[in-house]
Amino acid sequence: MPKEYKTPMLDELEKGPWPSFVKEIKLAAKKNVMSNDLLGLLERSYNERLGHWKHGGIVGVFGYGGGVIGRYTDLPEEYPEISHFHTLRINQPSGWFYTTEALRTLCDIWDRHGSGLTNMHGSTGDIIFLGTKTDELEPIFKELTEAGFDLGGSGSDMRTPSCCVGPGRCEWACYDTLQRCYDITMKYQDELHRPAFPYKWKFKFSGCPNDCVAAIARADISIIGTWKDDIKMDQAEVKKYAENGVDIFNDVVLNCPAKCMKYDGDKLEINNNDCRRCMHCINVMPKALRPGDDKGAIVLIGAKAPIVEGALLSSVLIPFLNIDDDEEFEDFCDLVEEMQDVWCEEGKNRERVGEFIQRVGMGNFLEAVGVEPIPEMIAYPRDNPYIFFEMDEDEEEEEE
Amino acid sequence: MPKEYKTPMLDELEKGPWPSFVKEIKLAAKKNVMSNDLLGLLERSYNERLGHWKHGGIVGVFGYGGGVIGRYTDLPEEYPEISHFHTLRINQPSGWFYTTEALRTLCDIWDRHGSGLTNMHGSTGDIIFLGTKTDELEPIFKELTEAGFDLGGSGSDMRTPSCCVGPGRCEWACYDTLQRCYDITMKYQDELHRPAFPYKWKFKFSGCPNDCVAAIARADISIIGTWKDDIKMDQAEVKKYAENGVDIFNDVVLNCPAKCMKYDGDKLEINNNDCRRCMHCINVMPKALRPGDDKGAIVLIGAKAPIVEGALLSSVLIPFLNIDDDEEFEDFCDLVEEMQDVWCEEGKNRERVGEFIQRVGMGNFLEAVGVEPIPEMIAYPRDNPYIFFEMDEDEEEEEE
Amino acid sequence: MLDVMKDRITDIGPPDFKEYLPPAVKKNYGQWKYHEILEAGVLVHVAESGDKLYTVRCGSPRLVSTTSILFYTEIADKYCDGFLRFTSRHNVEFLTTEFDNVAKIKAEMTEYGNPVGGTGPSITSIVHTQGWVHCHSAATDASGVVKAVMDDLFEYFNEMKLPAKCRIALACCLNMCGAVHCSDIAILGIHTAYPRIDHENLNKLCEIPNISASCPTAAIRPATVDGKPSVELIEEQCMYCANCFTVCPAMPLADPVADGISLWVGGKVSNARSEPKFSKLAVPFIPNNPPRWPEVTSAIRKMVEVWAENARPYERMGEWIDRVGWPRFFKLTGFEFSKMHIDDFKYAGLSFKRSAQITHE
Amino acid sequence: MLDVMKDRITDIGPPDFKEYLPPAVKKNYGQWKYHEILEAGVLVHVAESGDKLYTVRCGSPRLVSTTSILFYTEIADKYCDGFLRFTSRHNVEFLTTEFDNVAKIKAEMTEYGNPVGGTGPSITSIVHTQGWVHCHSAATDASGVVKAVMDDLFEYFNEMKLPAKCRIALACCLNMCGAVHCSDIAILGIHTAYPRIDHENLNKLCEIPNISASCPTAAIRPATVDGKPSVELIEEQCMYCANCFTVCPAMPLADPVADGISLWVGGKVSNARSEPKFSKLAVPFIPNNPPRWPEVTSAIRKMVEVWAENARPYERMGEWIDRVGWPRFFKLTGFEFSKMHIDDFKYAGLSFKRSAQITHE
Ligand code: SRM
Ligand code: SRM
Ligand code: SRM
Ligand code: SRM
Ligand code: SF4
Ligand code: SF4
Ligand code: SF4
Ligand code: SF4
Ligand code: SF4
Ligand code: SF4
Ligand code: SF4
Ligand code: SF4
């Protein structure tokens, strides 16, 4: 018989309009002793204002270096069911689309082998199976793979890539985010499952500059859709928006970062040469404006959270890649591997690629991976005169 | 008989519409052997693409640590007249106003004791007497002071302050730049003449945010005029500008950094609460718009050239100071002295105050000089979570 | 064990998403023309073919039981041909080609406890992390704070009455698994006590050079304590980042009194209008006050209200502050400005106000 | 010597400017109402009193002989009641209350060789430094380059046909006495050869710890060479800043072939419209080519022309580039973009293009 915990603190959090995670833990606790002990432990944390988890040891499934986060409570005597409480990271399908059948299979496996609690999803994008014992890992893994699922990344490896819904349900997708996310994931299964990098290596795919998976903020490789040709414009629809109350002048023209729009109260003009493809005008009037036809992606590099050298945003590496084209995609993969090699060779332990670039210098990094420096990569050229001069061979000879 | 130098290279630079410094050197060389040798040496530099000056030793006038830059050619045998060729820095009058009489006196002194060449002015603002011998320094100094002039700064001291023309000839002067520049100079004569600081200490005074002495870019203490109340507006004059071809919408409204203007083709409106006092609209239409009446100055700190830690711009220390008020001016001087003390105590050798602040942290600097931190001092708060927490005494007690 | 190792399948990767796409999505894949937001939480996407696909977005606690997932599958089976999806912010979305289903899904999901909203100029789910539910590193809980904040801000979830989107995220420690650093409002768990060094066990559990190297401020030095190899801490140099603890369990920082929450504001990710920005410090420290963290919820409400009242349409939190300036932000919110707000890390110098562009009131 | 020390006056400071103000200035001090630019180089300031004061601004080489100063005093005596002033950019200004005098001053000064201009949207005098005329540190000449550039750009001095002001400055070494770092166009003398260490004399002339400390990249280490205390240089770490030379004469860098000029672009000082900005690297190196530095003048002309053609009214060089982006600048000027343009100093990371806001052509 499972213990019955009094949870006055947590009960408070069953109230109110927002969906309650306490309700979820209780639902799970009804069927599952681990979740029941979790409820008790969490109430205790609420009372003590202190977590009760220990640093995880290394646990996992055979042949994989990642995908499982080991976790143990520091009060195993009092909460024996969660003395082990490891999570599994399961690689989600592109765009988080599911059949109900697949979900039922997952639930079934998890109810039999784990806590019955999940995160849908983890913030990298995985399905998180939240809490089980070491012994259950292999059985879960076997059933998962038989059902067509596999573990995601953890540790110093490629992490589970993720992508926005893209062409699945968005008119602005400039490339096939779902497909390319899937392709990268499949291509680098080994890198995903067997950590051998200096640190994490994350990929995120957004179909346009709205960046609905926040790729630029949290992926080492951020792939963001864009287009090259003119914004498509339907003046009649522009008029309708104006009639329906859009203040085209203040809401659209004044907000254009390129200051490249003109509106005379009737016709809207865009100087597409100056347009930065920021999406704003399109976002405001989706029926009237649309990205052009010559679509592709920008590849950016280096984002990460603050530890240790401060947070980084990704920065432009390739300003335009026709990523839907298989050949260009292969070229891109070659570059990815080249970068991995350089970073693995020269990177320090726990140094993300963005930090690595900052340490060795973007110019040197580009040289090492064989990419030509171009002004699209920078917001502005250096403003300090501390230049390490490198004269061309020719010039040097001339000088001698 | 002075040598006659062939100067085919320099002669080239007598041609063309822009005033020629070669003409000037030749004019001086007619009367003066030093300038004649300078001509020869300079031609040689042009041929060799190399300067011929040595590191200056310490020379100066008795009791002063600065004001003279020692200079010797490395070819004294060939150019004996400029084997010494020291410059004197003479403190200019505020705003570089002169009577012709004063200028004639200066020329007379200089023709008798030096090369007859000057810089009107040096880039800190001094009158530069360009080139004389060690023996001439004391006589020059004596005659200068008798004529009412004194040396400016050099070395690790307060440098000669300078200011824009301000109320002398500008409708936008928000305080009396000429007077305050003079006051500061007079108040700190000792600091100006007897180097005892870690490094230079420069003051520049601009009467409004146009900053016509580039104070924010090159003065440790940059004092820039501003106002607190509303921009004064004459709608009739606005109309006239519009009639005369000013595109008020594109040239003015769209260029307002605060986006705080509205123009309906007839009336111009400013939301003065949001206005950043950038001067742009006023600059475009000086007859129609004017700074308000509640005028004063912003005090900014820390600008410098790049060596060693990279160039710095000054940043806001006091967002509004009624500097024309004598009491507030005295308070400001007290703060200046407080800052000097802290910097002298804790600053490293050759560390400008801006670098010092960067090293110890603005927050710590403010604390040391007794200034309350306020959001006006920052462009944005920290974006990294690496906070050195300092709890209030009260809070700490509570916690115990 | 042997049993489970037999016929073991590895490295198959995730299922092919194409198998999981609803028929309307498959048919109109990449052929969407435009969309409209019909009401908070309800979108319609219109395809070149003329097909219409309705989406009902439902709030989710993210931490969900299989019981609830199974409930979602029931809804999806009933109205959506057996398909559903989750969003990048962990909401659950039901896609249907039948407009009539929209109201039904909405009703059933709301009834179950998953209200509909989060589209357009609203506040959608708070991206968050594990907190006391699962992580050893947490300086606060995640789910509980999120629940408290969203309860308080609920009117902004199921109505679209804000100037623009407002993205809130929470991370329970400086590792920032929630990648909160580019959020309109970031809730960040923060320690303010020094690591307590377990000299007894340190050398057994950890490699001393790694610990020293882990500290961004070089506050940790190798030292021999009671005859054992260990480390010592230069307290003035520690800013509680916990990176040493990540590397070595023998240096815990968690503390019931000194742990708490900091609030950050004005970040964004999208490239719309302005470039992506980091969030900046608004409130350095609020002690943990479970179960409802009232000081946190009210500070956040304050920010949201002040922004909502003062910003122009389409102006994200950070864009508004950039236009009117940080002095205005601190004035209107009433948050105290202190030394702690002034950056003193790597790029500090660039955060000073290096111009005479100043507002006066 | 004794003689000159007698009755010696010290610390009197500069003359009181009030003695030096022209009568019209004294009378209307602080009472100016507005101004107009009548033509290039000619301003009129109108006082509240109705008084009008005309200013004629004349170009100056800055390096002026007493002969020329005396000539200016003649003009000032003739037309300006015996007063004149210089500007913050070293031009000489004649102030008169008589409109008729304007043309006369202009004629006489032009005749003498000091043309009139530099107001409004024009290019005024180039702020500059000593160069080979006086400084031991120079990597190029100052006055000569300035003369060559201004001759070439003269049409922009005596006409006002640019979108906005364009401020050019020159510094002959990285000490940047011209404070060029915030100029629309900065001309900067630059060394590209390593310091040559005079091991023989180094220890006599300099303090070794000071030298090591002076190097921003820590490229200098104490070392014993031929039995003498000296320093050694890690060449890969040297970026030729010459700070070691400033501290120690035994480490000269100047070199006829390796010295030259770099060009920087897009800085500004004023707070009008945009905040003050630093200039950014446009051309890393052009060898010294006296007497007319043709590669320098043509590169500068290119920048000015490209900007003049493409910018909007009131848009300073840097504001234009900020709007259209650096790729456009490099494309239109044809300047080569290289690794050297990518920052690798302290704030390098912030100079990368951290957004998807990109133009395509
Ligand atoms: C589960 C998850 C949070 C969540 O509740 O969703 C998570 C949980 C942990 N993260 Fe994370 N991270 C998770 C997404 C992230 C993200 C977001 C992302 O990937 O988009 C980030 C920020 C982006 C980035 O990578 O920079 C993130 C940045 C970190 C860091 C700091 C890394 C850095 O370079 O700055 C650490 C510290 C470390 O690696 O030692 C960390 C470490 C951890 C550890 C493993 C704690 C540790 O020190 O060992 C956490 C385990 C918690 C637990 O007990 O379950 N986690 N972590 C997320 C993974 C779920 C999934 O696979 O879908
Ligand atoms: C004469 C003058 C240049 C000119 O032709 O106008 C000048 C000339 C020298 N400067 Fe300067 N500086 C002059 C204004 C400046 C300015 C501009 C300003 O003051 O507005 C700056 C940049 C602003 C600043 O202070 O940051 C400037 C930044 C430097 C530096 C770098 C200081 C720094 O902190 O980065 C040095 C190097 C040093 O101090 O060792 C320097 C050093 C020198 C020395 C003394 C060379 C040396 O290393 O000893 C030069 C003597 C040249 C000579 O032989 O005559 N000079 N120097 C300017 C002073 C004239 C006057 O008094 O009016
Ligand atoms: C479903 C989802 C993508 C997915 O694959 O899951 C999505 C879907 C859409 N986004 Fe998004 N965005 C989604 C996360 C994001 C994120 C990522 C995040 O918040 O972590 C961002 C970046 C946020 C940021 O900038 O900080 C994001 C920034 C945008 C923007 C830019 C808003 C702006 O003005 O800055 C738009 C354009 C708009 O709304 O006008 C947009 C527009 C859209 C559109 C209208 C695209 C379309 O035509 O279908 C979709 C409905 C938007 C709505 O909710 O009003 N989406 N969108 C994500 C829903 C999250 C949720 O459950 O609430
Ligand atoms: C005389 C002088 C001040 C002095 O005390 O000597 C001066 C005088 C005036 N300045 Fe200035 N400025 C003077 C140096 C500057 C500087 C400093 C510098 O260049 O080193 C600046 C900052 C430059 C920068 O931003 O990089 C400067 C930025 C301005 C501006 C802002 C321009 C802008 O749009 O960014 C204005 C406003 C305008 O011209 O519309 C201005 C406006 C003016 C006005 C119109 C002020 C007035 O009402 O009298 C004066 C005539 C301007 C003209 O030439 O068209 N003044 N002005 C300086 C003349 C230098 C010269 O000989 O050419
Ligand atoms: S990132 Fe762009 S393409 Fe992807 S879902 Fe968002 S708006 Fe659509
Ligand atoms: S996409 Fe952005 S930059 Fe381009 S025209 Fe529209 S608002 Fe302007
Ligand atoms: S800084 Fe302002 S007050 Fe001074 S001269 Fe320039 S415009 Fe006039
Ligand atoms: S002074 Fe500048 S900020 Fe103020 S209204 Fe005029 S243009 Fe706008
Ligand atoms: S943010 Fe910190 S405490 Fe929260 S899950 Fe990530 S590592 Fe754990
Ligand atoms: S908490 Fe961070 S700053 Fe403090 S000792 Fe540990 S690693 Fe260093
Ligand atoms: S810039 Fe350099 S070379 Fe030129 S005067 Fe200044 S210190 Fe001398
Ligand atoms: S020139 Fe500069 S970088 Fe090179 S050794 Fe000297 S101080 Fe160091």
Side-chain angles (χ1 to χ4, degrees), chain C residues 192-345:
Chain C
T192 69
Y194 305 117
R196 298 176 300 275
I197 308 170
D198 175 1
H199 296 295
E200 192 62 37
N201 296 304
L202 187 135
N203 193 37
K204 280 179 255 162
L205 293 167
C206 325
E207 290 181 41
I208 289 173
N210 279 357
I211 309 177
S212 302
S214 75
C215 180
T217 61
I220 303 175
R221 283 194 302 218
T224 306
V225 182
D226 297 333
K228 292 211 173 70
S230 184
V231 297
E232 68 179 9
L233 185 71
I234 308 161
E235 294 196 346
E236 314 83 72
Q237 281 176 36
C238 173
M239 40 57 177
Y240 328 96
C241 73
N243 201 42
C244 51
F245 173 62
T246 298
V247 169
C248 175
M251 298 191 68
L253 293 89
D255 180 284
V257 172
D259 288 356
I261 280 175
S262 57
L263 297 177
W264 305 72
V265 66
K268 75 190 276 277
V269 163
S270 83
N271 293 278
R273 298 169 308 283
S274 58
E275 297 190 315
K277 309 186 210 293
F278 289 131
S279 314
K280 315 294 187 316
L281 182 62
V283 182
F285 187 76
I286 302 174
N288 279 320
N289 193 357
R292 287 225 162 250
W293 282 267
E295 301 84 355
V296 172
T297 57
S298 74
I300 291 176
R301 172 164 279 273
K302 185 84 213 172
M303 289 194 252
V304 171
E305 281 176 355
V306 153
W307 163 65
E309 236 168 77
N310 290 280
R312 296 182 183 167
Y314 298 98
E315 212 168 36
R316 295 276 294 266
M317 181 81 78
E319 292 170 329
W320 166 65
I321 300 175
D322 280 353
R323 179 169 59 81
V324 301
W326 288 93
R328 184 77 52 84
F329 173 81
F330 281 97
K331 194 183 159 189
L332 291 178
T333 56
F335 295 161
E336 193 195 346
F337 184 84
S338 74
K339 190 178 154 181
M340 290 183 266
H341 290 91
I342 305 181
D343 196 3
D344 50 11
F345 194 51

Side-chain angles (χ1 to χ4, degrees), chain D residues 54-94:
Chain D
Y54 299 92
T55 298
V56 182
R57 180 180 300 166
C58 305
S60 155
R62 193 183 80 125
L63 200 179
V64 276
S65 61
T66 47
T67 313
S68 292
I69 297 175
L70 291 172
F71 176 78
Y72 305 160
T73 63
E74 277 171 42
I75 303 286
D77 283 337
K78 234 196 267 185
Y79 303 112
C80 309
D81 310 311
F83 296 86
L84 60 77
R85 78 175 289 264
F86 294 83
T87 71
S88 65
R89 296 188 76 90
H90 318 306
N91 288 311
V92 52
E93 285 185 341
F94 296 93

Side-chain angles (χ1 to χ4, degrees), chain B residues 321-337:
Chain B
L321 178 78
N322 183 359
I323 192 172
D324 279 339
D325 177 85
D326 287 335
E327 229 167 275
E328 294 208 15
F329 180 65
E330 279 310 315
D331 290 348
F332 163 68
C333 293
D334 290 347
L335 177 60
V336 163
E337 289 158 33

Side-chain angles (χ1 to χ4, degrees), chain B residues 37-38 40-42 44-45 50-56 70-86, chain D residues 132-136:
Chain B
D37 265 10
L38 178 67
L41 184 75
L42 192 59
R44 181 163 177 155
S45 286
L50 203 64
H52 278 293
W53 301 104
K54 290 199 294 188
H55 247 265
R71 189 63 75 227
Y72 308 89
T73 177
D74 60 2
L75 301 166
E77 286 79 16
E78 296 172 64
Y79 306 91
E81 301 295 341
I82 50 174
S83 61
H84 301 192
F85 201 60
H86 314 316
Chain D
W132 295 331
V133 168
H134 201 264
C135 195
H136 66 291

